Amino acid sequence: MQASCPSGAILPRLPRHFLTGTELSGAQLDALLNRALEMKAQPRASRPLEGRSVALLFEKPSTRTRLSYEIGISELGGYPVLLRPDEMQLSRGESVRDTALVLSRHVDAIGVRTGPDALLAELAAEGSIPVFNMLTALHHPSQALADLLTLREAFPDRPLAELKLAYVGDGNNVARSLCLLGGIAGLDVAVASPPGYALEPEAGGARTTDPFEAVAGAHAVYADVWVSMGDEATADARRAALAPYRIDDALLDGAAPGAIALHCLPAHPGEEITAEVLYGSRQRIWDQAENRRHAQKALLEFLLAG
Ligand code: CP
């Protein structure tokens, strides 16, 4: 990518990244969500990635993220390249720097699902193409985009700045990204977690240990799994501590009238959410899963063609 400066010299243009989601301004996020709604209404109306390739590096399992990015890239006219670390020289000691330099010569963007956020940062620093986060230990901004899009859809007559979302459960990467991107959108976010599982206050939004306090006045009540990837060793302690934070009809009754239930999935019915809510009429969870594709298509257009 290149741009000209006032003297007429050609300068390299820095690629746009999406590492935590905080790279977006409020206006950019608003425009991106509007574009996602357009794309959802007409999924094959434009092909801004025609002739372009996007590498998707998955170091962890995925259903929704892989499907939504891979199919979304195809719908945009692009070519998704699935990469598994055990099939790459990364697994044999090739450096992240060299990997970034080579990928930058072959593809137009890199999506990464991994543990360490530092890997994303290093790929972004060493490569010359956009890098986007498909889940790390600390962040899941791709998920948060779809969550905000789902709120937009569910409450079309109210701006996000007039809505409240309550997240109940572990103060994890999903909660953090909801607070960070919700904050950019002006959304009121409250997080209820047991002692020892609280999200740091710097992520924004309110904190409480009381799930009923968090959901008071909320238009959406959000759950995530109690035992995330990598937390298996502490599964029993987590289930015990998080048991009062299950989304059921009684908790939804404590929210605003017409409140919806959200969940990033995969779900464990009977743990963090009851089967009645997960498959019932008060949820928008399956719309939320579909919205991953529409929101990410708008993101890719912004990163690559904006
Ligand atoms: N919500 C989410 O990221 O789902 P996957 O782990 O299936 O990609």
Side-chain angles (χ1 to χ4, degrees):
M1 289 191 235
Q2 293 182 325
S4 60
C5 71
S7 68
I10 300 297
L11 298 173
R13 185 182 294 163
L14 293 175
R16 283 174 165 168
H17 300 298
F18 186 68
L19 307 183
T20 66
T22 57
E23 298 86 358
L24 296 176
S25 68
Q28 287 171 332
L29 178 56
D30 187 56
L32 196 153
L33 294 174
N34 287 337
R35 181 69 178 127
L37 286 172
E38 285 176 9
M39 287 179 157
K40 183 169 185 175
Q42 292 188 294
R44 292 172 184 82
S46 64
R47 294 170 64 85
L49 299 195
E50 190 73 57
R52 308 180 85 175
S53 302
V54 180
L56 302 173
L57 173 58
F58 282 95
E59 294 194 333
K60 288 171 174 280
S62 168
T63 297
R64 278 144 291 273
T65 305
R66 176 177 170 178
L67 277 169
S68 54
Y69 267 114
E70 191 170 351
I71 295 169
I73 290 163
S74 296
E75 285 183 355
L76 292 172
Y79 179 68
V81 184
L82 254 290
L83 299 175
R84 294 279 179 192
D86 59 339
E87 298 167 353
M88 297 177 68
Q89 298 290 4
L90 259 178
S91 66
R92 296 184 58 249
E94 185 168 23
S95 68
V96 174
R97 179 181 189 178
D98 291 2
T99 303
L101 291 172
V102 172
L103 281 169
S104 297
R105 298 295 180 105
H106 287 288
V107 299
D108 297 281
I110 313 169
V112 185
R113 167 168 287 208
T114 186
D117 285 72
L119 173 63
L120 252 76
E122 192 174 352
L123 278 170
E126 301 293 354
S128 55
I129 54 178
V131 174
F132 55 93
N133 187 330
M134 303 196 297
L135 181 144
T136 54
L138 297 181
H139 299 278
H140 200 357
S142 294
Q143 179 66 54
L145 283 184
D147 302 339
L148 296 178
L149 181 62
T150 308
L151 280 176
R152 270 271 178 93
E153 252 184 352
F155 300 98
D157 301 328
R158 301 185 70 163
L160 292 176
E162 290 182 10
L163 298 176
K164 176 182 176 182
L165 179 144
Y167 174 98
V168 292
D170 184 20
N172 62 11
N173 51 359
V174 169
R176 183 174 293 105
S177 289
L178 276 170
C179 285
L180 291 173
L181 276 85
I184 295 170
L187 180 70
D188 180 7
V189 182
V191 180
S193 309
Y197 295 86
L199 185 65
E200 73 279 0
E202 291 77 14
R207 302 287 178 275
T208 176
T209 56
D210 181 351
F212 282 89
E213 182 185 328
V215 304
H219 303 88
V221 182
Y222 196 117
D224 190 9
V225 293
W226 291 344
V227 184
S228 296
M229 288 181 278
D231 291 333
E232 290 79 8
T234 56
D236 290 346
R238 290 178 155 274
R239 288 194 182 99
L242 289 157
Y245 296 81
R246 174 177 300 115
I247 296 187
D248 56 15
D249 281 312
L251 189 62
L252 278 175
D253 288 343
I260 59 171
L262 297 176
H263 193 309
C264 55
L265 302 173
H268 294 77
E271 288 196 10
E272 75 280 358
I273 190 166
T274 61
E276 289 75 18
V277 173
L278 179 61
Y279 304 110
S281 60
R282 305 173 85 176
Q283 57 75 29
R284 292 295 184 100
I285 292 166
W286 308 102
D287 290 341
Q288 187 186 0
E290 178 190 331
N291 282 340
R292 292 290 306 273
R293 185 168 88 257
H294 309 300
Q296 292 160 186
K297 284 173 66 178
L299 172 70
L300 288 166
E301 182 182 68
F302 172 78
L303 293 176
L304 280 161

